[in-house]
Amino acid sequence: MAIIMIYNACAKLFIRYTQTFFKHLQNKVESCEYERFKCSDMSVAETSGDDPTWQSGNHEEEAVGPEDVQLLEVPNGSHGGPSGNSSSLLTSSESSSPSTPPGLLKGILKNRLETVESNDLYRQERRRRHSSADEDDFALLHGRFEKVPLKDFHAEIRAFKDVEDFLSRTLLMLDLQKTGLTQIIEAMVQKLLEKKEVSAQTSLEEARHAIFTQDSVHTLSKTIQGTMTSEVSGFDFDQNWICVMCDIPTVTKRHVVIARLHSPANLGSNSHEVQFVILVMAPVREKSTKSSLETARTFATLFLDIDFRHQLLLAESEYEFKQLLHTRTKLLIEEQGLPENRKSHLVLSAFEQEEQEGGKARCPLGQGLIRDLKRRLPHYVSDFRDGFVGNKTIHKVTSTTFFLYFACVLPNIAFGMLNDNNTAGVIDVQKVLFSQCVGGLLFAVFGGQPLIVLLTTAPLALYTKIIYSICEDFDLNFNAMFACTGLWNAFFLLIFVFFNTSKLMKYSSRSTEEVFSLFITFAFSADAIKDTIKDFNKNYNTDVCHGVNHSNSTNQNASFPTNSSLTTVSAMTTASTVTTVSMVNVTNSSMLAAPSGGGGIEECLRENSILFLLLMLGTVWLGITLFNFTKTPFLNAGKREMLADYALPVAVLVMSFFGSYVFREVHMRPFKYKAREQMFELAPLHLLPVGAVFAAAGLGFSLSLLFFMDQNISSALVNTPSNKLKKGAAYHWDLFVVAVINAFLSIFTMPWVHAALPHSPLHVRALADLEDRVDQGHVHQIVVHVRETRVTGIISHVMIGLSMLMLPYPLAYIPRPVLDGLFIYVAITALYGNQLFDRILLFFTEQSAYPPNHYIRRVPQRKIHLFTTLQLIQLVVLCVFGFSPIPYMKMVFPVLIMLLMPIRHKIIPNFFEPKYLKALDGHAH
């Protein structure tokens, strides 16, 4: 029993002394932490200027009574103090002992309250200091490395001009006695500010702000450095030099300062042994070839050579330094001009490749035809397979098929109406659709390049009108004369094929193709504008609309009632097979009619003209908006591409719905339709006299020149290197197939067809996968892959053949202004990628917004504008003859197209150096 009592007493004594030890230890730790907190707060207060009174512990003390002990009573392990154990020990031992003096208890409680309060203040101050930190103390820096191509001193004209221009006024600082980055840059800027023109435009502070990321952190914003391969790390920076760039809004000219340091300097990461510093200062708004980056590329390319830099280190004067720069520039021009060193070259045309691949044959007759067959026959099966196999192929083929259908059937209706008027119904809409179906289907199956689209065009309709006029003047049978002219045309085309005359197209450069393409664009636009003016003259600007009454005699005036509603339904048939319905509905006294001199009735239908304009412009707007929908942020990429692919069909269907249903109360006259009992009627060639046969030969030869140029220029635009076609061209074979097709169409008095612009290049674009490329802020699209297939041509022309079953309705529900809107849509979309049009826009474009393409870099600006002007002169001459109201002047048009080639190769070179012509008139790769 005594042992147990002694054991309990020892245990209690041990526990008490243990509790006392831990209590003093905890107080010591907390007092040290508090003293450290006070010291840190005092230092913060001294540096920030805040009042540290509360931080030094001079706060008012409150009296603590015995009853306040319960505020600190917490279970063991709970929150309430820095340590749960100490708080628990306090409440279980000191507060429960009646022998503890009140003064000692008050001191303990006071110490505990100060400790808890000091910890709360410490946490609050840390949060306050972090949240109220100055923005300049914390910042984010974005770093990015980007590969910059070397300057091509041989091709890029601006490279040599930069060096020559800046050598005359470049500031040199040899053996600069500075070692720090800030000191070096400020010394170079001060040297630059010694110029009055510079000091009047900028200041040291503004330059420093443009050069460095921020004032407190001296990190260069934009630099160019060289890189090299290293045996140790595999890749390393050329740390001997650095080029610093800055753009300042107030500066109007570019300035360059080159500093050679007295001793190598450590300027930071990747720049440990810098001996040359190049500072380039340029305006913010400057021509793309004169920007700070382009100027820096010039000097960075010069300083990239280590041997050249060693020579610059040994230069003893500024004159010697500049002479070394000049010599190095000349040497780079020669070295980069060597064929083995060319980085930018021109792609050979199909004819040049053919000449290199194949040697001279013993009998050249028909050799071009044979080579085309050898080139294209191995790909014949893949032409069908590629229409079904591949990523997004089904979607692309489907959208392209609908595009081809609408892009062909609607012009066929328009040209069918035109031929119907020109030939008194001999060639009408039905025949044009049949010709398109048969000709396009045969070419899609048997043609060499299936991406070419055949179509009857306005020049062919013009030739048909000329032949009809000749037949009326000389009392000849039109069917026979038309067939004879078509057969002569096919005969001359076959001669062209067997004598390989398509090789002449190697002289048809890009400028010739673009002039002709732009002319076709103007022709489509002109047709739409003519129809609009004709409709307004017929329905809007009539004398009746202006309140002018006509009379057949001086004593008789015609007056008509002006009641609120007058409806006229007129014009019925003259033959049992002809149905022409014209409905006119005029409300609110909008019509005043009077017999004209010929006995007809003039009408005032202003609502028809307004609707005509609305539907035409609406078709253009909706089509172009959807065509460019991929450039918008709406929807996702797949849906944007789908809307762009179906832009033309959607625009036609939507605007046709508006014209035929929404505005159904405004009745617009449909096209005339004549149901034929017999489509295939052989032309009576035996009725032509001998003189007419020879006259048809002359017309056929002129027509064959038009076919030759149209077909081959369209083929050249389809097979342009930028389209990245893999299966090769077939100029001779395509011309052979076109000759056979038109010979067949001619004997049945069907309208002729040939390769059409701009439908053929647009067909390629519709089947292509495109990528957006950004070059110095300018976005342009490039072709990545094209599906070279025959499927789209076959299916679309089968659909055109089935459309003959939809005559007159529902095709008649497509209003005429929608057809004209399609013409303008096709004309506008054909301008994309036309370099001539792009250079025309440069006349009206600010220099700082010039795109950094290859000819802008390689050719002086005045030479670019001169070349564009010469092309415009050729275009104007074509338009004068092509749009002439005199029909026989238009017959000279094919000859003028042929003359474009000798003009390009015999006259144009007198104004330009060969390297400039290669850049302006070649296909850059």
Side-chain angles (χ1 to χ4, degrees), residues 63-74 87-97 100-102 104-110 112-113:
V64 180
E67 65 274 11
D68 295 330
V69 175
Q70 301 302 321
L71 296 174
L72 297 177
E73 185 179 355
V74 292
S87 178
S88 175
L89 290 173
L90 174 65
T91 58
S92 61
S93 61
E94 301 295 342
S95 62
S96 62
S97 176
T100 304
L104 177 61
L105 180 61
K106 182 176 181 180
I108 293 173
L109 293 176
K110 177 181 177 182
R112 297 300 300 140
L113 287 171

Side-chain angles (χ1 to χ4, degrees), residues 201-251:
Q201 296 172 355
T202 186
S203 62
L204 178 62
E205 291 298 324
E206 187 176 9
R208 185 188 293 115
H209 181 73
I211 294 172
F212 294 106
T213 56
Q214 55 184 6
D215 293 336
S216 59
V217 181
H218 288 170
T219 302
L220 298 173
S221 297
K222 295 189 296 182
T223 61
I224 290 183
Q225 279 186 274
T227 59
M228 64 181 68
T229 56
S230 173
E231 296 180 357
V232 179
S233 60
F235 172 83
D236 197 5
F237 283 91
D238 191 348
Q239 304 189 32
N240 187 253
W241 64 276
I242 187 170
C243 185
V244 182
M245 300 172 289
C246 67
D247 298 311
I248 300 179
T250 56
V251 173

Side-chain angles (χ1 to χ4, degrees), residues 125-193:
E125 176 62 13
R126 289 294 299 269
R127 286 195 295 265
R128 185 191 66 80
R129 288 167 58 190
H130 182 73
S131 62
S132 62
D134 190 0
E135 293 182 357
D136 292 338
D137 296 336
F138 298 94
L140 298 176
L141 291 181
H142 169 65
R144 183 184 68 176
F145 290 107
E146 181 180 356
K147 184 180 178 180
V148 178
L150 298 180
K151 199 80 166 187
D152 191 343
F153 278 74
H154 177 79
E156 298 186 48
I157 185 64
R158 181 53 57 185
F160 178 75
K161 285 191 172 184
D162 282 345
V163 178
E164 290 297 314
D165 181 31
F166 287 108
L167 282 181
S168 60
R169 56 188 183 92
T170 295
L171 298 177
L172 294 177
M173 302 179 69
L174 302 182
D175 300 328
L176 181 62
Q177 300 285 342
K178 303 291 183 181
T179 56
L181 175 61
T182 306
Q183 298 174 350
I184 294 172
I185 296 299
E186 287 187 356
M188 297 176 73
V189 175
Q190 289 288 359
K191 183 71 173 179
L192 193 58
L193 291 176

Side-chain angles (χ1 to χ4, degrees), residues 615 655-665 812-815:
L615 294 179
M655 300 313 297
S656 297
F657 173 77
F658 270 88
S660 300
Y661 182 77
V662 177
F663 295 97
R664 58 185 178 273
E665 295 183 0
Y813 286 125
I814 302 178

Side-chain angles (χ1 to χ4, degrees), residues 397-695:
V397 168
T398 304
S399 62
T400 304
T401 300
F402 281 103
F403 164 77
L404 275 185
Y405 172 75
F406 284 99
C408 292
V409 74
L410 298 186
N412 284 334
I413 294 175
F415 291 130
M417 297 166 59
L418 180 61
N419 282 319
D420 195 349
N421 295 330
N422 292 340
T423 61
V426 178
I427 298 177
D428 57 1
V429 174
Q430 190 176 8
K431 275 196 170 185
V432 173
L433 287 176
F434 180 83
S435 175
Q436 179 68 40
C437 173
V438 173
L441 193 59
L442 290 176
F443 190 85
V445 174
F446 299 107
Q449 177 52 269
L451 299 182
I452 295 174
V453 179
L454 299 190
L455 193 70
T456 185
T457 59
L460 295 181
L462 169 67
Y463 261 84
T464 303
K465 181 180 180 180
I466 292 174
I467 294 173
Y468 188 81
S469 301
I470 292 175
C471 292
E472 282 191 330
D473 293 340
F474 296 94
D475 195 19
L476 300 173
N477 184 278
F478 170 72
N479 290 8
M481 190 67 176
F482 181 88
C484 190
T485 303
L487 291 175
W488 276 113
N489 169 55
F491 172 74
F492 287 118
L493 290 179
L494 292 177
I495 292 179
F496 296 158
V497 169
F498 286 106
F499 282 93
N500 306 320
T501 52
S502 288
K503 284 188 175 181
L504 293 175
M505 292 304 297
K506 67 181 180 182
Y507 299 110
S508 177
S509 59
R510 180 171 187 150
S511 64
T512 304
E513 299 163 5
E514 289 177 341
V515 168
F516 183 72
S517 178
L518 202 58
F519 170 79
I520 297 299
T521 298
F522 287 169
F524 273 97
S525 303
D527 289 339
I529 294 173
K530 286 179 182 177
D531 288 339
T532 306
I533 295 175
K534 181 179 178 181
D535 187 271
F536 268 75
N537 289 335
K538 182 178 181 180
N539 297 321
Y540 196 93
N541 290 325
T542 61
D543 292 337
V544 176
C545 292
H546 295 293
V548 179
N549 292 329
H550 297 273
S551 61
N552 292 332
S553 60
T554 58
N555 58 357
Q556 182 181 2
N557 291 327
S559 61
F560 288 83
T562 58
N563 52 336
S564 60
S565 178
L566 180 61
T567 304
T568 303
V569 180
S570 64
M572 290 288 185
T573 84
T574 57
S576 60
T577 59
V578 179
T579 305
T580 304
V581 180
S582 176
M583 300 182 66
V584 181
N585 183 19
V586 184
T587 61
N588 297 328
S589 303
S590 63
M591 172 177 161
L592 288 173
S596 61
I601 296 179
E602 287 187 351
E603 300 168 340
C604 182
L605 302 173
R606 288 184 168 177
E607 63 275 12
N608 283 31
S609 297
I610 299 300
L611 182 59
F612 189 101
L613 195 62
L614 175 65
L615 294 179
M616 184 183 71
L617 296 181
T619 304
V620 176
W621 173 81
L622 183 58
I624 296 298
T625 301
L626 295 179
F627 183 79
N628 293 322
F629 205 74
T630 54
K631 302 176 183 178
T632 66
F634 306 114
L635 304 179
N636 55 38
K639 294 178 181 178
R640 289 196 298 266
E641 185 178 1
M642 180 180 296
L643 286 175
D645 291 338
Y646 289 95
L648 180 60
V650 170
V652 171
L653 293 177
V654 169
M655 300 313 297
S656 297
F657 173 77
F658 270 88
S660 300
Y661 182 77
V662 177
F663 295 97
R664 58 185 178 273
E665 295 183 0
V666 180
H667 296 280
M668 307 185 74
R669 293 180 178 86
F671 60 84
K672 291 190 296 184
Y673 171 70
K674 179 181 180 181
R676 288 182 174 274
E677 296 179 357
Q678 186 176 0
M679 284 283 295
F680 301 97
E681 185 177 352
L682 290 174
L685 293 173
H686 61 280
L687 298 180
L688 285 181
V690 178
V693 174
F694 285 103

